[in-house]
Protein backbone atom coordinates (compact mmCIF):
# COMPACT_ATOMS: atom_id res chain seq x y z
CA UNK A 1 0.00 0.00 0.00
CA UNK A 2 1.45 3.37 -1.04
CA UNK A 3 -0.99 5.77 0.62
CA UNK A 4 -3.34 5.43 3.59
CA UNK A 5 -5.65 8.22 4.69
CA UNK A 6 -7.27 7.71 8.12
CA UNK A 7 -9.99 9.76 9.85
CA UNK A 8 -8.92 12.90 8.00
CA UNK A 9 -10.62 16.16 8.95
CA UNK A 10 -10.08 19.76 7.93
CA UNK A 11 -11.77 22.63 9.75
CA UNK A 12 -11.35 26.25 8.72
CA UNK A 13 -11.95 29.00 11.28
CA UNK A 14 -12.71 32.57 10.29
CA UNK A 15 -10.50 35.26 11.81
CA UNK A 16 -13.29 37.65 12.70
CA UNK A 17 -15.68 35.19 14.34
CA UNK A 18 -15.85 31.80 16.01
CA UNK A 19 -17.57 30.22 13.00
CA UNK A 20 -16.10 26.98 11.73
CA UNK A 21 -16.32 25.41 8.28
CA UNK A 22 -15.77 21.66 8.25
CA UNK A 23 -14.34 21.11 4.76
CA UNK A 24 -13.53 17.42 5.30
CA UNK A 25 -14.78 14.96 7.88
CA UNK A 26 -13.73 11.38 8.59
CA UNK A 27 -12.10 10.69 5.22
CA UNK A 28 -10.74 7.14 4.95
CA UNK A 29 -9.25 5.45 1.90
CA UNK A 30 -6.07 3.81 0.67
CA UNK A 31 -4.20 3.79 -2.64
CA UNK A 32 -2.05 1.00 -4.00
CA UNK A 33 1.11 1.76 -5.95
CA UNK A 34 0.25 2.28 -9.63
CA UNK A 35 -3.43 3.10 -9.06
CA UNK A 36 -5.14 5.87 -11.03
CA UNK A 37 -7.71 7.61 -8.81
CA UNK A 38 -10.18 10.31 -9.83
CA UNK A 39 -11.89 12.45 -7.20
CA UNK A 40 -15.23 14.01 -8.12
CA UNK A 41 -17.88 16.11 -6.39
CA UNK A 42 -19.88 19.30 -6.62
CA UNK A 43 -18.12 22.65 -6.18
CA UNK A 44 -17.35 23.15 -2.50
CA UNK A 45 -17.54 19.43 -1.72
CA UNK A 46 -13.97 19.33 -0.39
CA UNK A 47 -12.19 17.53 -3.22
CA UNK A 48 -9.57 20.25 -3.81
CA UNK A 49 -9.04 20.57 -0.06
CA UNK A 50 -8.30 16.84 0.04
CA UNK A 51 -5.83 17.11 -2.84
CA UNK A 52 -4.08 20.04 -1.16
CA UNK A 53 -3.69 18.00 2.04
CA UNK A 54 -2.22 15.09 0.08
CA UNK A 55 0.14 17.53 -1.64
CA UNK A 56 1.19 18.99 1.74
CA UNK A 57 0.05 22.43 0.61
CA UNK A 58 -2.15 22.52 3.72
CA UNK A 59 -2.29 20.64 7.02
CA UNK A 60 -5.18 18.54 8.32
CA UNK A 61 -6.96 19.50 11.54
CA UNK A 62 -6.89 15.84 12.58
CA UNK A 63 -6.30 12.39 11.13
CA UNK A 64 -3.33 10.86 9.38
CA UNK A 65 -1.85 10.68 5.90
CA UNK A 66 0.68 7.86 5.60
CA UNK A 67 2.75 7.87 2.40
CA UNK A 68 5.01 4.88 1.82
CA UNK A 69 5.04 4.18 5.56
CA UNK A 70 5.79 7.78 6.60
CA UNK A 71 3.33 9.86 8.63
CA UNK A 72 3.35 13.20 6.80
CA UNK A 73 2.50 15.05 10.01
CA UNK A 74 5.88 13.99 11.41
CA UNK A 75 7.78 15.98 8.77
CA UNK A 76 9.21 19.24 10.10
CA UNK A 77 7.90 22.45 8.53
CA UNK A 78 11.44 23.25 7.38
CA UNK A 79 11.60 19.95 5.48
CA UNK A 80 8.15 19.98 3.84
CA UNK A 81 9.21 21.75 0.63
CA UNK A 82 12.06 19.34 0.04
CA UNK A 83 9.91 16.29 0.80
CA UNK A 84 7.18 17.53 -1.55
CA UNK A 85 9.67 18.30 -4.30
CA UNK A 86 11.37 14.90 -4.03
CA UNK A 87 8.29 12.70 -3.64
CA UNK A 88 5.23 14.44 -5.11
CA UNK A 89 4.47 15.84 -8.53
CA UNK A 90 1.68 18.42 -8.90
CA UNK A 91 -0.16 19.44 -12.08
CA UNK A 92 -2.21 22.63 -11.84
CA UNK A 93 -5.23 23.63 -13.92
CA UNK A 94 -3.58 26.93 -14.90
CA UNK A 95 -0.14 25.38 -15.61
CA UNK A 96 1.90 27.63 -13.20
CA UNK A 97 4.77 27.95 -15.66
CA UNK A 98 7.28 30.80 -15.49
CA UNK A 99 7.19 32.91 -18.67
CA UNK A 100 10.79 34.05 -18.13
CA UNK A 101 12.05 30.45 -18.44
CA UNK A 102 12.08 28.23 -21.51
CA UNK A 103 10.07 25.02 -21.63
CA UNK A 104 13.23 23.07 -20.84
CA UNK A 105 14.10 25.33 -17.89
CA UNK A 106 10.55 25.08 -16.51
CA UNK A 107 10.75 21.29 -16.61
CA UNK A 108 14.14 21.32 -14.90
CA UNK A 109 13.16 23.77 -12.17
CA UNK A 110 12.62 21.11 -9.43
CA UNK A 111 16.07 19.63 -10.15
CA UNK A 112 17.68 23.07 -10.18
CA UNK A 113 16.11 23.92 -6.81
CA UNK A 114 17.30 20.55 -5.46
CA UNK A 115 20.81 21.30 -6.76
CA UNK A 116 20.93 18.01 -8.67
CA UNK A 117 23.86 17.02 -10.87
CA UNK A 118 23.55 19.20 -14.00
CA UNK A 119 25.23 16.56 -16.15
CA UNK A 120 22.02 14.49 -15.97
CA UNK A 121 19.66 17.32 -16.95
CA UNK A 122 19.67 16.90 -20.73
CA UNK A 123 18.98 13.16 -20.71
CA UNK A 124 16.15 13.56 -18.18
CA UNK A 125 14.49 16.38 -20.11
CA UNK A 126 14.88 14.66 -23.47
CA UNK A 127 13.35 11.45 -22.09
CA UNK A 128 10.24 13.18 -20.75
CA UNK A 129 9.92 15.52 -23.73
CA UNK A 130 9.71 12.51 -26.03
CA UNK A 131 7.05 10.81 -23.89
CA UNK A 132 5.00 14.02 -23.73
CA UNK A 133 5.53 14.99 -27.39
CA UNK A 134 7.13 18.35 -26.67
CA UNK A 135 10.66 17.63 -27.90
CA UNK A 136 10.38 20.41 -30.53
CA UNK A 137 9.33 23.01 -27.95
CA UNK A 138 12.17 22.86 -25.42
CA UNK A 139 13.71 26.20 -26.44
CA UNK A 140 10.41 28.06 -26.66
CA UNK A 141 8.83 30.12 -23.90
CA UNK A 142 5.39 29.39 -22.38
CA UNK A 143 3.82 32.41 -24.09
CA UNK A 144 4.83 30.93 -27.45
CA UNK A 145 3.02 27.59 -27.07
CA UNK A 146 -0.58 26.37 -26.83
CA UNK A 147 -2.53 25.51 -23.68
CA UNK A 148 -2.20 21.80 -24.34
CA UNK A 149 1.55 22.14 -24.80
CA UNK A 150 1.79 24.18 -21.59
CA UNK A 151 -0.03 21.45 -19.67
CA UNK A 152 2.22 18.74 -21.09
CA UNK A 153 5.18 20.88 -20.00
CA UNK A 154 3.76 21.10 -16.48
CA UNK A 155 3.30 17.31 -16.44
CA UNK A 156 6.96 16.90 -17.46
CA UNK A 157 7.98 19.25 -14.64
CA UNK A 158 5.88 17.20 -12.19
CA UNK A 159 7.52 13.95 -13.34
CA UNK A 160 11.14 15.10 -13.55
CA UNK A 161 11.91 13.96 -9.97
CA UNK A 162 10.21 10.56 -10.52
CA UNK A 163 7.62 11.20 -7.79
CA UNK A 164 5.81 8.50 -5.84
CA UNK A 165 2.49 10.21 -6.65
CA UNK A 166 1.36 12.49 -9.44
CA UNK A 167 -1.37 14.82 -8.14
CA UNK A 168 -3.47 16.73 -10.67
CA UNK A 169 -6.03 19.46 -9.97
CA UNK A 170 -8.49 19.75 -12.90
CA UNK A 171 -5.69 19.09 -15.44
CA UNK A 172 -8.07 19.33 -18.43
CA UNK A 173 -10.06 22.28 -17.04
CA UNK A 174 -8.32 24.94 -19.15
CA UNK A 175 -7.92 22.80 -22.30
CA UNK A 176 -9.96 22.38 -25.48
CA UNK A 177 -11.36 18.94 -26.31
CA UNK A 178 -8.45 17.89 -28.55
CA UNK A 179 -5.82 18.94 -26.01
CA UNK A 180 -7.80 17.19 -23.27
CA UNK A 181 -7.84 13.93 -25.24
CA UNK A 182 -4.08 14.18 -25.81
CA UNK A 183 -3.42 14.80 -22.12
CA UNK A 184 -5.67 11.94 -21.01
CA UNK A 185 -3.89 9.62 -23.44
CA UNK A 186 -0.61 10.60 -21.77
CA UNK A 187 -2.07 9.95 -18.32
CA UNK A 188 -3.19 6.54 -19.60
CA UNK A 189 0.36 5.77 -20.71
CA UNK A 190 1.74 6.91 -17.36
CA UNK A 191 -0.77 4.70 -15.54
CA UNK A 192 0.19 1.76 -17.75
CA UNK A 193 3.81 2.34 -16.74
CA UNK A 194 2.76 2.07 -13.04
CA UNK A 195 2.76 5.78 -12.17
CA UNK A 196 0.39 6.44 -9.26
CA UNK A 197 -2.04 9.25 -10.19
CA UNK A 198 -4.63 11.07 -8.07
CA UNK A 199 -6.69 13.55 -10.07
CA UNK A 200 -9.45 15.96 -9.07
CA UNK A 201 -11.81 16.60 -11.97
CA UNK A 202 -15.29 17.78 -12.94
CA UNK A 203 -14.98 15.97 -16.27
CA UNK A 204 -16.86 12.68 -16.64
CA UNK A 205 -14.64 11.84 -19.62
CA UNK A 206 -11.44 12.44 -17.63
CA UNK A 207 -12.71 10.46 -14.63
CA UNK A 208 -13.70 7.53 -16.84
CA UNK A 209 -10.00 6.92 -17.55
CA UNK A 210 -9.28 6.21 -13.87
CA UNK A 211 -9.19 2.78 -12.27
CA UNK A 212 -11.28 4.09 -9.37
CA UNK A 213 -13.45 7.14 -8.77
CA UNK A 214 -14.05 8.62 -5.31
CA UNK A 215 -17.15 10.80 -5.03
CA UNK A 216 -17.12 13.43 -2.26
CA UNK A 217 -20.22 15.12 -0.88
CA UNK A 218 -20.19 17.71 1.92
CA UNK A 219 -16.64 16.76 2.91
CA UNK A 220 -17.28 13.02 3.11
CA UNK A 221 -16.72 10.11 0.74
CA UNK A 222 -20.18 9.46 -0.68
CA UNK A 223 -19.38 6.53 -3.00
CA UNK A 224 -16.57 4.64 -4.72
CA UNK A 225 -16.74 3.32 -8.26
CA UNK A 226 -14.23 0.78 -9.56
CA UNK A 227 -13.47 0.49 -13.27
CA UNK A 228 -13.75 -3.28 -13.57
CA UNK A 229 -13.01 -3.59 -17.26
CA UNK A 230 -15.84 -1.29 -18.40
CA UNK A 231 -15.68 0.37 -21.80
CA UNK A 232 -15.11 4.16 -21.67
CA UNK A 233 -18.79 4.72 -22.55
CA UNK A 234 -19.99 2.34 -19.83
CA UNK A 235 -17.75 4.01 -17.25
CA UNK A 236 -18.98 7.46 -18.29
CA UNK A 237 -22.58 6.32 -17.86
CA UNK A 238 -21.89 4.93 -14.38
CA UNK A 239 -20.10 8.13 -13.34
CA UNK A 240 -22.91 10.31 -14.69
CA UNK A 241 -25.55 8.29 -12.83
CA UNK A 242 -23.57 8.55 -9.59
CA UNK A 243 -23.19 12.32 -10.00
CA UNK A 244 -26.94 12.62 -10.60
CA UNK A 245 -27.59 10.57 -7.47
CA UNK A 246 -25.19 12.78 -5.52
CA UNK A 247 -26.96 15.94 -6.76
CA UNK A 248 -30.41 14.56 -5.88
CA UNK A 249 -29.25 13.71 -2.37
CA UNK A 250 -28.38 17.37 -1.84
CA UNK A 251 -31.93 18.57 -2.55
Amino acid sequence: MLLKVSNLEKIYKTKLSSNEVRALKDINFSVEEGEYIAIMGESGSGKTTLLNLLAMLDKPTSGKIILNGMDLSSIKDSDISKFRRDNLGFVFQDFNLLDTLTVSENILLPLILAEEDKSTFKDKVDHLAKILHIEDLLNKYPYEISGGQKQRTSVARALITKPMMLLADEPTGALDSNSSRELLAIFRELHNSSQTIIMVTHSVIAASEASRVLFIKDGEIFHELYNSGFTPFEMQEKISKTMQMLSRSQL
Side-chain angles (χ1 to χ4, degrees):
M1 183 186 303
L2 179 65
L3 176 72
K4 185 173 178 59
V5 176
S6 302
N7 309 118
L8 198 67
E9 293 202 349
K10 180 62 183 179
I11 299 172
Y12 292 103
K13 296 182 179 180
T14 57
K15 292 182 179 179
L16 301 179
S17 72
S18 59
N19 292 338
E20 293 183 347
V21 176
R22 194 177 297 271
L24 294 174
K25 44 192 171 186
D26 200 27
I27 297 289
N28 294 275
F29 68 97
S30 59
V31 178
E32 299 293 338
E33 187 173 357
E35 267 199 283
Y36 184 177
I37 308 293
I39 302 174
M40 300 191 78
E42 300 289 330
S43 295
S45 62
K47 57 188 184 300
T48 297
T49 298
L50 175 57
L51 196 72
N52 287 340
L53 294 179
L54 298 179
M56 303 180 72
L57 297 172
D58 199 357
K59 292 184 177 182
T61 303
S62 62
K64 289 186 178 296
I65 301 173
I66 309 296
L67 178 62
N68 201 30
M70 176 174 285
D71 184 348
L72 298 190
S73 66
S74 69
I75 299 173
K76 295 179 181 178
D77 288 350
S78 57
D79 295 331
I80 286 176
S81 293
K82 182 180 186 304
F83 182 88
R84 185 193 303 123
R85 184 178 63 233
D86 293 345
N87 297 283
L88 304 173
F90 204 100
V91 179
F92 300 89
Q93 178 177 342
D94 57 358
F95 321 129
N96 279 23
L97 300 176
L98 299 178
D99 277 340
T100 55
L101 301 181
T102 64
V103 166
S104 178
E105 289 166 342
N106 268 285
I107 295 170
L108 284 169
L109 190 56
L111 298 186
I112 294 170
L113 293 174
E115 299 182 345
E116 294 271 344
D117 180 3
K118 292 182 180 180
S119 67
T120 68
F121 283 7
K122 187 177 186 308
D123 287 344
K124 289 180 178 179
V125 168
D126 288 349
H127 173 69
L128 284 174
K130 185 174 182 180
I131 292 173
L132 294 160
H133 315 299
I134 53 173
E135 55 264 58
D136 297 331
L137 307 176
L138 293 177
N139 294 320
K140 292 184 178 292
Y141 289 87
Y143 56 81
E144 298 178 302
I145 62 179
S146 70
Q149 292 167 336
K150 288 178 183 178
Q151 194 59 297
R152 280 180 270 149
T153 299
S154 73
V155 172
R157 179 186 58 194
L159 293 172
I160 195 72
T161 59
K162 296 183 177 179
M164 284 191 276
M165 290 196 305
L166 179 66
L167 305 171
D169 187 9
E170 298 283 2
T172 63
L175 304 181
D176 59 38
S177 57
N178 287 333
S179 296
S180 294
R181 280 194 295 270
E182 291 174 356
L183 184 68
L184 291 174
I186 288 168
F187 272 35
R188 195 181 311 130
E189 291 174 13
L190 293 172
H191 172 51
N192 290 338
S193 65
S194 299
Q195 174 66 56
T196 306
I197 303 171
I198 300 179
M199 171 182 65
V200 161
T201 183
H202 278 102
S203 168
V204 171
I205 293 174
S208 69
E209 296 279 343
S211 53
R212 179 163 45 124
V213 185
L214 299 180
F215 298 88
I216 294 185
K217 171 183 175 267
D218 297 333
E220 298 179 277
I221 293 179
F222 175 78
H223 186 63
E224 288 186 69
L225 178 61
Y226 287 83
N227 190 344
S228 304
F230 298 119
T231 66
F233 180 74
E234 288 172 337
M235 193 63 180
Q236 288 166 31
E237 276 199 324
K238 290 180 180 295
I239 291 170
S240 295
K241 287 179 180 178
T242 304
M243 289 298 293
Q244 289 170 10
M245 183 171 59
L246 188 153
S247 297
R248 285 197 299 270
S249 72
Q250 292 176 324
L251 298 177

